[in-house]
Amino acid sequence: MQKLYDDIINKKEKIAIVGLGYVGLPQAIAFGKIVKTIGYDINKEKIKKYIEGKNFDNTIETEIKNSNVEFTWDEEKLKEAKFIIVAVPTPINNDKTPDLNPVKKASITIGRNLKKGAIVVYESTVYPGVTEDICIPILEEESGLIAGRDFKVGYSPERINPGDQTNRLENIVKIVSAIDDETRDLISSVYELIIEAGTHKVSSIKVAEAAKLVENAQRDINIAFMNELAMVFEKMNIHTKEVVDAMNTKWNALGFTPGLVGGHCISVDPYYFIYEAEKLGYHSQIILAGRKINDNMANFITDITLKKMIKGNKQINKSKIYIMGITFKEDCSDVRNSKVIDIIHRFKEYGLDVTVVDPVADIDEIKTLDGINLVDLADVKNADVIIFAVGHREFKELGIDEISGMYADIANNEKILIDIKSMFSKDEMEKLGFSYWSL
C-alpha cells in the first residue's frame, strides 16, 4: 500500500474522478494541483466546456483553466488510474425510493476498465450496504477480479456544500472507511493531500454510509420542526422570525430557521434511510414525518400567497407574479430538487403563470424544466406579487425604492411581498404599507 501512495505522489500512478459535478469537479481540480489526475464524465458537452476552461455554473473557471486535470469522456482512460473516486449522483425515483442507476452504471464502467492493484472509493450517498452488497459484486463481475485480493474498495461520503465559500472542500473533515484497515489508512493518506481538516476513520463501510445519511436527516428534522412552528404560528397570528430570534438568545438553541428544503442531499438522503429501514421491518416515524412537513412547504407558501391576493382584492388570473430565485439555496446555481419549482407547479395547478428571476441559476438546467419563464432582474415591472424565495446576494442588496419600483402603479398596500427567507425587516415593510408576509 505504501508503494501505491508513493507512486501517486511521485506521479507514477494516476487518480481518476468519475462524475464531474458539484462534488467531483472541485476534487479533481484539487488533486490535479498535486498529482496526475483524470477527470471522467459521460456528459461530453460538460467535458468540452471543462477543456475550454468553462464551468456549468460560472464558478471556479479560473481554476479549471489553470488545472492540470486530464478531462475526458473516454472510459478507457480509467485503465490508467490506480486510485478511482466515484462521485456520481444518487437521486430518488418519483415514488421516493432510491435510484441507484447512476452508481450502478459507474460501477459497470469502472469494472470493465479496472486493473489489478487498484482502489475504488465511493463517495455517492447510499444506504448502508450498497457499496458492499451492490457495487462490489458489479466491479467483480465486470472485471473478473476479486475484491480484497485483486483490488480494494473504500467509502468516503461527500460533504461538499455547493455555493458555500466558508465550508470548502479543504476544510471539511473527510470520513474514511474501507474493506480493511490497511486500505482505509491509504485512502486517508491520499485524501489528506487535499483535505487540510484531516480525516476521520471509521471501522466499517456501513458506518460511513450511515453517517452521511444521518448528518443530513438530523438537519431535515430540525428544519421540519421550525416549519411546523411556522405553520402553527401563522394560525396564531404570531411572527415566526421574532419567536425564533427570541429563542436563539438562549445558549443551547440550535439556530435553525424555517424554509424550503431542497437540493441533492437534505431533501433526498432521508429517503435512503427510510427505504432501508422499511426493508428491515421498521417504519420510520420521526424522519418520515419531517420529510412530509418539508415536502409540503411549497403548497403552504403558495396557499398563503393566494390568500393575500384574495384579501387584497386582486384579480388572481390577471395578476403578475414574480418569483425571485429558483435554485435550492442562495448564491448557488444548482436547481436540483428545488422546492421553488414546486411552488411554480402549485401556481400552475390554479391556472396561474409566474415569471422567475435568478441571476445565478444554471441556464442550461433551467431549459430542461417545463414552462419556466426566466427573465433578468431589470425586466421585472408591473408586478402585483413578488415572492423572494432564495436569498441571493443580489436580492439582498436591493433597496426598498428599487423593490417598490418593480410593482405596477398601485398603492403600497396593494403591493404583495412574500419574503420566504425573511430577508427584509417586517417592521419597515409594514411601516411603508406593503402587504408583507414572511415565513
Side-chain angles (χ1 to χ4, degrees):
M1 287 291 177
Q2 183 62 42
K3 183 179 185 306
L4 176 55
Y5 177 78
D6 291 340
D7 286 345
I8 289 173
I9 61 175
N10 291 321
K11 300 184 178 182
K12 294 179 181 179
E13 293 288 356
K14 297 179 181 180
I15 289 177
I17 313 292
V18 175
L20 298 176
Y22 291 90
V23 173
L25 180 61
Q27 284 202 73
I29 291 172
F31 275 118
K33 295 175 182 177
I34 302 170
V35 299
K36 287 187 176 180
T37 305
I38 297 167
Y40 170 81
D41 199 288
I42 60 174
N43 187 327
K44 291 184 179 181
E45 294 306 313
K46 183 187 290 185
I47 293 298
K48 287 177 182 177
K49 281 188 177 182
Y50 294 163
I51 291 173
E52 293 171 2
K54 298 177 182 178
N55 189 18
F56 50 86
D57 66 350
N58 299 317
T59 61
I60 61 176
E61 288 195 349
T62 300
E63 294 186 67
I64 294 174
K65 290 176 183 176
N66 297 329
S67 75
N68 296 315
V69 180
E70 184 179 359
F71 293 111
T72 182
W73 61 78
D74 179 7
E75 67 174 70
E76 292 203 354
K77 294 293 293 184
L78 298 177
K79 293 177 180 176
E80 300 176 13
K82 268 285 190 73
F83 193 99
I84 302 172
I85 296 173
V86 185
V88 297
T90 42
I92 53 174
N93 297 305
N94 291 334
D95 62 357
K96 310 296 186 183
T97 58
D99 178 6
L100 296 176
N101 283 319
V103 76
K104 286 180 179 178
K105 289 177 180 177
S107 298
I108 291 170
T109 300
I110 294 167
R112 61 187 175 220
N113 293 285
L114 195 62
K115 60 183 180 181
K116 281 190 175 183
I119 295 176
V120 181
V121 184
Y122 287 88
E123 292 206 356
S124 305
T125 303
V126 292
Y127 56 81
V130 168
T131 302
E132 292 162 293
D133 300 338
I134 295 177
C135 297
I136 287 179
I138 292 174
L139 293 174
E140 291 179 326
E141 181 178 355
E142 294 295 324
S143 67
L145 304 174
I146 303 298
R149 185 190 71 186
D150 302 319
F151 68 94
K152 299 296 180 73
V153 175
Y155 181 81
S156 179
E158 62 88 3
R159 285 174 140 179
I160 288 177
N161 191 22
D164 191 336
Q165 298 304 311
T166 302
N167 300 297
R168 298 170 61 84
L169 171 66
E170 62 270 17
N171 59 23
I172 301 174
V173 174
K174 204 84 170 72
I175 297 173
V176 176
S177 66
I179 57 176
D180 58 57
D181 290 349
E182 185 183 19
T183 304
R184 182 193 62 188
D185 292 344
L186 171 64
I187 293 171
S188 177
S189 296
V190 172
Y191 274 122
E192 285 175 350
L193 293 173
I194 62 169
I195 305 296
E196 295 172 5
T199 62
H200 177 81
K201 301 174 186 178
V202 296
S203 62
S204 70
I205 288 176
K206 286 184 179 180
V207 167
E209 291 168 325
K212 176 57 193 295
L213 293 185
V214 299
E215 70 183 39
N216 283 326
Q218 63 90 17
R219 284 185 55 77
D220 194 42
I221 291 166
N222 278 289
I223 297 170
F225 170 60
M226 303 308 296
N227 280 335
E228 185 169 65
L229 290 180
M231 288 187 280
V232 175
F233 288 148
E234 174 65 23
K235 295 180 181 294
M236 295 179 175
N237 197 28
I238 297 173
H239 189 219
T240 305
K241 186 177 185 301
E242 189 174 0
V243 175
V244 172
D245 288 345
M247 177 189 71
N248 284 338
T249 61
K250 192 176 182 185
W251 76 90
N252 58 356
L254 298 179
F256 286 96
T257 56
L260 298 172
V261 183
H264 65 295
C265 285
I266 299 179
S267 66
V268 172
D269 295 356
Y271 285 118
Y272 275 70
F273 180 89
I274 292 165
Y275 173 82
E276 183 63 7
E278 290 187 345
K279 277 173 57 181
L280 297 171
Y282 181 82
H283 181 69
S284 171
Q285 299 176 66
I286 294 175
I287 296 175
L288 183 57
R291 274 286 78 228
K292 286 181 178 179
I293 290 170
N294 288 340
D295 276 346
N296 189 55
M297 287 306 291
N299 291 346
F300 172 70
I301 291 165
T302 307
D303 292 348
I304 287 290
T305 305
L306 292 170
K307 287 179 184 178
K308 296 283 285 185
M309 294 172 72
I310 292 169
K311 288 181 179 179
N313 295 316
K314 296 286 185 183
Q315 286 185 277
I316 292 180
N317 60 342
K318 292 184 179 180
S319 293
K320 206 161 189 179
I321 304 170
Y322 286 92
I323 296 182
M324 301 300 210
I326 194 173
T327 61
F328 88 91
K329 64 180 293 187
E330 62 274 7
D331 302 320
C332 173
S333 67
D334 195 349
V335 300
R336 287 177 296 173
N337 302 314
S338 170
K339 294 305 175 183
V340 182
I341 297 171
D342 291 353
I343 292 176
I344 295 169
H345 290 162
R346 181 71 166 176
F347 276 118
K348 287 184 180 296
E349 288 177 11
Y350 288 103
L352 304 177
D353 289 324
V354 299
T355 303
V356 176
V357 178
D358 198 307
V360 304
D362 183 348
I363 302 300
D364 290 336
E365 270 194 273
I366 297 293
K367 289 177 181 177
T368 66
L369 304 173
D370 293 331
I372 303 296
N373 181 27
L374 189 68
V375 300
D376 292 333
L377 184 59
D379 295 326
V380 179
K381 58 187 67 175
N382 297 320
D384 291 286
V385 180
I386 299 179
I387 302 171
F388 282 88
V390 186
H392 291 319
R393 186 180 301 109
E394 192 166 340
F395 296 154
K396 291 179 178 178
E397 292 173 351
L398 290 171
I400 298 299
D401 290 341
E402 290 177 281
I403 295 172
S404 185
M406 296 175 184
Y407 287 90
D409 187 15
I410 52 180
N412 277 3
N413 63 358
E414 297 179 52
K415 297 175 179 177
I416 297 174
L417 194 155
I418 306 298
D419 186 6
I420 296 174
K421 299 294 290 184
S422 295
M423 293 163 50
F424 309 107
S425 166
K426 177 178 181 290
D427 290 342
E428 184 177 2
M429 285 297 181
E430 290 183 346
K431 185 177 180 180
L432 292 170
F434 278 73
S435 179
Y436 176 84
W437 181 89
S438 65
L439 181 61

